[in-house]
Amino acid sequence: MAGTAAVGLGELWPLLRRHTQARIGLGRSGSGLLTRHRLGLQAAHAAARDAVHSAFEPDLVAAALPGMPTVRVRSAAGDRLTYLQRPDLGRRLDPVDRAHLPRGGDPDVVFVVADGLSSRAVHEHAAAMVRATAARLTGWRIAPVVLAEQARVALGDDVAAAMDATMVVVLVGERPGMSAADSLGAYLTHRPVPGVTTDADRNCLSNIRPPRGLDYETAAEKLAALMGRARELGRTGVGLKDESDHGEVTDRIL
């Protein structure tokens, strides 16, 4: 492009950096990074570590869901260290908590808010996503929102089975990276079976984190469309493709 050719390399990098969160064209100081960029990397790494190790505060989420009943559960991982070392335990409910989950009413969906690998993401974004999605589910029977500690995505299978819910939506803090420590994921599963359902049976919306990622309204619109089509087809996962940007959700086998 003629306009680009006239721009020197030193001027091009700042222009490109406006359109990406990737660390490009950072420059050098001898054989290393410039000091300000090195400090930026260290700060990003510290934010990621804090996100992983910060305690989940379910009271914050419950307070942001006025009018919506909530119930609190834990996984079989008794503490954060066990959770990080034993992913399998984070996928199973604590037996005592399972016994106290409400049953009855044949709910169409249960929302599970799980700390995952970023409590920060859950504290900042999960309640807004529950509200925005629930507002689009006219006529759906919605179970009490489950707030799950030391939880991974598959814990939602256990919750849905215990509560007799047809579908489960797990809103979980995603693994932090060096450009995002507050990314929320939404995982939708139709009729999950604990220990049998796999990741291929789920649909996922990732990087929900306005203003740098997916905004709540767009994410909720996509999620509600997937849920409606999943109810019609009786399945989620690889058999359900999100084409909501084109006005539809299809059942294409990938």
Side-chain angles (χ1 to χ4, degrees):
M1 294 173 57
T4 304
V7 178
L9 189 59
E11 299 169 290
L12 180 61
W13 288 122
L15 292 174
L16 293 175
R17 280 198 293 269
R18 294 177 188 173
H19 302 285
T20 178
Q21 295 180 58
R23 291 177 171 82
I24 58 174
L26 300 184
R28 292 175 176 272
S29 177
S31 60
L33 286 173
L34 296 172
T35 300
R36 67 178 181 275
H37 295 309
R38 181 176 178 82
L39 292 175
L41 283 168
Q42 291 175 338
H45 185 250
R49 288 177 61 89
D50 286 348
V52 169
H53 292 286
S54 294
F56 180 41
E57 298 184 47
D59 286 343
L60 291 179
V61 181
L65 294 170
M68 299 188 75
T70 61
V71 58
R72 302 176 190 182
V73 299
R74 298 161 298 170
S75 75
D79 53 58
R80 198 60 175 172
L81 182 59
T82 302
Y83 171 81
L84 294 173
Q85 294 178 336
R86 292 285 306 275
D88 58 312
L89 296 180
R91 300 183 182 109
R92 303 202 306 267
L93 274 170
D94 175 86
V96 174
D97 288 356
R98 181 192 289 108
H100 288 95
L101 282 172
R103 299 181 70 112
D106 295 321
D108 296 311
V109 63
V110 56
F111 288 93
V112 177
V113 175
D115 50 1
L117 289 170
S118 175
S119 293
R120 173 184 167 186
V122 173
H123 295 155
E124 294 183 8
H125 308 303
M129 266 302 295
V130 172
R131 295 195 307 268
T133 306
R136 290 166 167 78
L137 301 178
T138 303
W140 286 61
R141 296 184 299 271
I142 302 175
V145 179
V146 176
L147 309 179
E149 187 177 357
Q150 314 294 10
R152 297 183 184 268
V153 172
L155 185 88
D157 302 347
D158 220 353
V159 170
M163 298 179 71
D164 298 320
T166 302
M167 270 185 250
V168 60
V169 174
V170 179
L171 298 167
V172 62
E174 297 182 311
R175 180 180 291 106
M178 295 298 281
S179 61
D182 63 336
S183 180
L184 186 77
Y187 290 81
L188 170 65
T189 314
H190 184 272
R191 293 204 181 279
V193 178
V196 175
T197 297
T198 69
D199 289 342
D201 300 310
R202 314 186 198 283
N203 290 88
C204 174
L205 296 177
S206 186
N207 197 35
I208 302 169
R209 48 184 287 270
R212 299 289 252 167
L214 202 59
D215 65 87
Y216 306 137
E217 296 302 310
T218 300
E221 198 69 40
K222 288 177 177 286
L223 181 56
L226 283 167
M227 293 170 69
R229 191 61 174 148
R231 183 156 68 168
E232 293 175 10
L233 296 171
R235 64 174 177 266
T236 48
V238 295
L240 179 64
K241 181 175 175 58
D242 175 21
E243 291 188 348
S244 54
D245 289 341
H246 306 289
E248 61 178 345
V249 176
T250 66
D251 54 328
R252 183 175 302 166
I253 301 297
L254 303 179

